[in-house]
């Protein structure tokens, strides 16, 4: 049988086992009783095949067994520190293992690079963005998860104007900004801010 000896697959994957070719024979796989030259296996076990001559009815001894191991896949959950960010913010992502099989993480792709650090900071563009994380087990099995983050562009700054100049002072005005929930005013070049009266 090829491939032979011991084969490792991840849960949910499969492997094709193929018996050597021969003419005028029937194949019988064990376990399972399949009768084709090649079989696709998804479950763990030791697989052998016997060939029987279609003319004489004589059977071979069972082949050398092929051990198929099915390794569990890691489980991962990716979370963001907030579900919405301003466009200049750094989005902090955390990959949390939800079973014991994850031993390394990647925030770049299923091919790595892999590392032990389960926290990453990403920059974001405006709009709804999806961020991904991958986890890999020591057996090479990989799982992924994703999280959506809404990234909001900053509002443009108000344009200031002055009115009602008197000896006692003046009034500072600004154009309303759509969607603004409040305004703050600084009289010391942005070191401190106060909430204006109107």
């Amino acid at each position: 049988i090829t491939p032979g000896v011991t084969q490792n697959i991840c849960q949910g994957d499969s492997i094709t086992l193929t018996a050597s070719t021969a003419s005028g024979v029937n194949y019988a796989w064990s376990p399972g009783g399949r009768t084709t030259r090649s079989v696709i296996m998804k479950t763990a076990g030791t697989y052998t095949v016997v060939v029987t001559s279609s003319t004489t009815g004589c059977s071979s001894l069972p082949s050398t067994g092929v051990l198929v191991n099915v390794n569990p896949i890691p489980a991962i959950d990716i979370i963001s520190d907030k579900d919405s960010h301003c466009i200049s913010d750094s989005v902090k992502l955390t990959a949390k293992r939800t079973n014991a099989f994850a031993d390394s993480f990647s925030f770049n792709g299923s091919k790595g690079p892999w590392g032990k650090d389960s926290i990453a900071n990403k920059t974001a563009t405006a709009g709804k963005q999806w961020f991904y994380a991958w986890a890999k087990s020591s057996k090479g099995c990989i799982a992924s998860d994703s999280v959506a983050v809404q990234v909001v562009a900053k509002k443009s700054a108000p344009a200031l104007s002055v009115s009602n100049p008197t000896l006692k002072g003046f009034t500072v005005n600004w154009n309303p900004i759509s969607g603004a929930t409040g305004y703050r005013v600084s009289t010391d070049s942005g070191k401190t801010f106060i909430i204006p009266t109107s």
Side-chain angles (χ1 to χ4, degrees), residues 52-141:
T52 302
S53 169
S54 57
T55 56
T56 67
C58 294
S59 298
S60 70
L61 293 173
S63 66
T64 301
V66 174
L67 174 63
V68 175
N69 293 315
V70 178
N71 298 306
I73 58 173
I76 183 176
D77 185 24
I78 181 175
I79 58 172
S80 170
D81 56 338
K82 295 188 289 185
D83 59 5
S84 61
H85 283 266
C86 293
I87 197 167
S88 60
D89 290 352
S90 176
V91 180
K92 182 180 178 182
L93 303 170
T94 304
K96 300 178 82 173
R97 70 184 87 206
T98 56
N99 67 17
F101 302 111
D103 76 340
S104 56
F105 304 93
S106 172
F107 292 92
N108 297 316
S110 61
K111 297 184 187 281
W114 300 97
K116 298 296 182 185
D117 195 354
S118 62
I119 297 174
N121 291 294
K122 298 282 187 177
T123 55
T125 56
K128 185 177 183 178
Q129 277 195 274
W130 287 91
F131 294 95
Y132 300 86
W134 291 261
K136 183 165 68 76
S137 72
S138 60
K139 300 290 186 181
C141 298

Side-chain angles (χ1 to χ4, degrees), residues 3-4 18 21 24 29 78 89 110 113-114 154-155 161 184 188 195:
T18 303
T21 185
W29 289 86
I78 181 175
D89 290 352
S110 61
W114 300 97
K154 286 188 175 182
K155 298 288 185 182
S161 61
R184 293 184 186 173
D188 56 6
I195 298 175

